[in-house]
Amino acid sequence: AQTRREGSRVLCDRPCFWRGSLSAMLCGVEDLVECLRAVPLPFWLFFSALFLGAGVGHVSGLQDFNVYRMHHFDLHGVRYGSRGAVVNMEARGEESSVLTRKCVVLRWAGLTREKLDRLVERGAGALLILLPRNLSDAGWEQLEAWQRLESDLLSSEVPIPVYFGYEDDGELSLVYEQLSKAGEKDRNSSALSALVQSFGSEGYQFISDNKEAEVVKDSHVVSLVGKVIGQGREEDLPTLALVAHYDAMGLATSLSYGQDSNGSGVVALLQLARLFSKLYADPKQRPKYNLLFVLSGGGKLNYFGTKSLLEEHMEDVDVTALLSEAEYTICLDSLSSPPPP
């Protein structure tokens, strides 16, 4: 896998699935090794003959898929997101009876926080969550449910690696269907039957050689401030503040779509700044209000950029005076969101 740093996050670009009967066979044995320790010697001889008779199949192919690791961050000493990155596990469907140390492949549609927590409790070692390519095709209620789930996942720490991919990327949809069918069959089979089937079946190995994320101690959020002065003495005039955060945030860095939140707010603020700067350039049309324009970063991180701006400019008389004297503040955020039906 290839990695690149983006701010305080590490994004995985190209993990892959390794498909072959060898990986499936060995992983199948691993699942039942604890059970077989109690099996008498005659049965061990039977299993040995079965294993040798099954033989080792060839690896039928190596396929790369573009996936994206769930990012993480620390805010006021609290951890959020998923810090895990290194994965080398057999893939399984969520219906499988054994998920311990397995990479579970499931679809975003129908996923809930309760389901994710159950998978973690069952010992899942990693998650690969498949997303629809075009989220706008979903209904309004489905989009709201997904947004709540995204917000919920980002509001706490997930203890295992979590990756996201598009279900129409290469053979990912086929992989999901095959794992789901195998999982359903596995749940309806006995332990002995599952072992026998594992010797000759094909499987998928999810491999990512990313290094664990490192702490970025010198992270800095940039905010931009502009102002126009009204007619009269600046310190005697009331101030109107227009604020918008310029960054977007999603479950993964490359899956952050910010045309609404908050590209729409940024465009509106810049347009207002352009129009009012022309209006204030003419003394005859200049209102008796100061205007303050703020583009802040870290809007999704509990307005971290705005708080940093206030802290950094405590000794800046001009900015501090304008902020402290603000008579009204307008926050421009998600202005292009359609109203609910």
Side-chain angles (χ1 to χ4, degrees):
Q2 302 172 352
T3 62
R4 66 172 183 269
R5 295 191 63 83
E6 294 193 5
S8 61
R9 298 177 290 273
V10 178
L11 173 66
C12 174
D13 285 327
R14 297 186 63 80
C16 61
F17 279 99
W18 179 23
R19 181 182 180 185
S21 56
L22 175 60
S23 62
M25 177 171 57
L26 296 180
C27 292
V29 173
E30 175 187 326
D31 292 338
L32 296 173
V33 64
E34 295 297 329
C35 298
L36 293 180
R37 286 178 178 175
V39 176
L41 180 60
F43 288 93
W44 269 111
L45 297 177
F46 167 73
F47 283 123
S48 299
L50 181 63
F51 180 86
L52 294 175
V56 177
H58 66 284
V59 174
S60 58
L62 179 65
Q63 178 68 50
D64 286 340
F65 300 104
N66 292 318
V67 299
Y68 310 91
R69 188 174 68 84
M70 181 179 179
H71 69 213
H72 66 272
F73 56 93
D74 291 356
L75 188 61
H76 306 307
V78 181
R79 292 184 170 190
Y80 298 90
S82 171
R83 274 171 165 67
V86 179
V87 177
N88 189 348
M89 306 173 186
E90 183 192 6
R92 287 292 179 89
E94 60 181 301
E95 302 85 359
S96 178
S97 59
V98 179
L99 299 181
T100 305
R101 298 188 300 277
K102 300 294 184 288
C103 177
V104 181
V105 182
L106 66 161
R107 280 184 170 143
W108 177 257
L111 177 64
T112 63
R113 183 55 193 260
E114 292 74 18
K115 178 183 289 187
L116 187 147
D117 290 339
R118 286 197 300 270
L119 294 175
V120 173
E121 291 174 358
R122 293 178 59 193
L127 298 178
L128 173 60
I129 302 174
L130 304 183
L131 304 171
R133 178 69 65 174
N134 192 352
L135 295 177
S136 61
D137 291 340
W140 179 262
E141 293 183 358
Q142 183 67 74
L143 288 176
E144 280 193 325
W146 289 348
Q147 289 173 354
R148 288 194 298 269
L149 176 59
E150 180 182 46
S151 177
D152 187 35
L153 291 177
L154 290 174
S155 64
S156 60
E157 184 178 14
V158 181
I160 61 176
V162 179
Y163 286 88
F164 298 91
Y166 289 111
E167 58 188 7
D168 63 350
D169 184 3
E171 297 183 357
L172 273 181
S173 181
L174 176 61
V175 170
Y176 171 80
E177 296 295 341
Q178 291 181 347
L179 292 176
S180 297
K181 292 179 181 179
E184 292 177 359
K185 190 175 182 180
D186 179 31
R187 290 184 67 89
N188 296 326
S189 302
S190 64
L192 176 60
S193 177
L195 176 62
V196 173
Q197 293 173 10
S198 69
F199 287 148
S201 62
E202 291 187 337
Y204 297 87
Q205 189 81 3
F206 184 31
I207 302 172
S208 174
D209 59 359
N210 276 346
K211 296 181 179 179
E212 296 296 339
E214 300 177 356
V215 176
V216 179
K217 298 181 179 180
D218 58 348
S219 59
H220 183 68
V221 178
V222 177
S223 294
L224 306 176
V225 180
K227 63 179 180 178
V228 291
I229 308 303
Q231 184 69 39
R233 294 182 56 188
E234 177 182 347
E235 58 272 19
D236 295 333
L237 299 177
T239 298
L240 299 181
L242 292 93
V243 183
H245 70 88
Y246 61 78
D247 47 4
M249 185 175 182
L251 286 169
T253 307
S254 294
L255 299 178
S256 301
Y257 300 101
Q259 65 269 27
D260 179 37
S261 179
N262 190 32
S264 60
V266 171
V267 170
L269 187 142
L270 294 176
Q271 182 71 343
L272 289 172
R274 184 183 70 84
L275 294 174
F276 278 110
S277 63
K278 289 185 176 181
L279 178 66
Y280 275 60
D282 187 349
K284 298 180 180 180
Q285 303 181 49
R286 187 181 302 169
K288 295 184 178 182
Y289 277 91
N290 300 320
L291 293 182
L292 184 68
F293 302 93
V294 180
L295 281 175
S296 65
K300 297 294 187 180
L301 300 178
N302 198 22
Y303 303 100
F304 181 74
T306 303
K307 294 179 181 178
S308 298
L309 173 68
L310 296 175
E311 293 174 357
E312 292 174 3
H313 290 279
M314 289 299 293
E315 299 181 359
D316 189 328
V317 178
D318 292 337
V319 176
T320 303
L322 286 172
L323 291 172
S324 62
E325 297 299 328
E327 186 173 278
Y328 197 78
T329 300
I330 302 176
C331 182
L332 305 174
D333 192 354
S334 304
L335 303 181
S336 62
S337 295

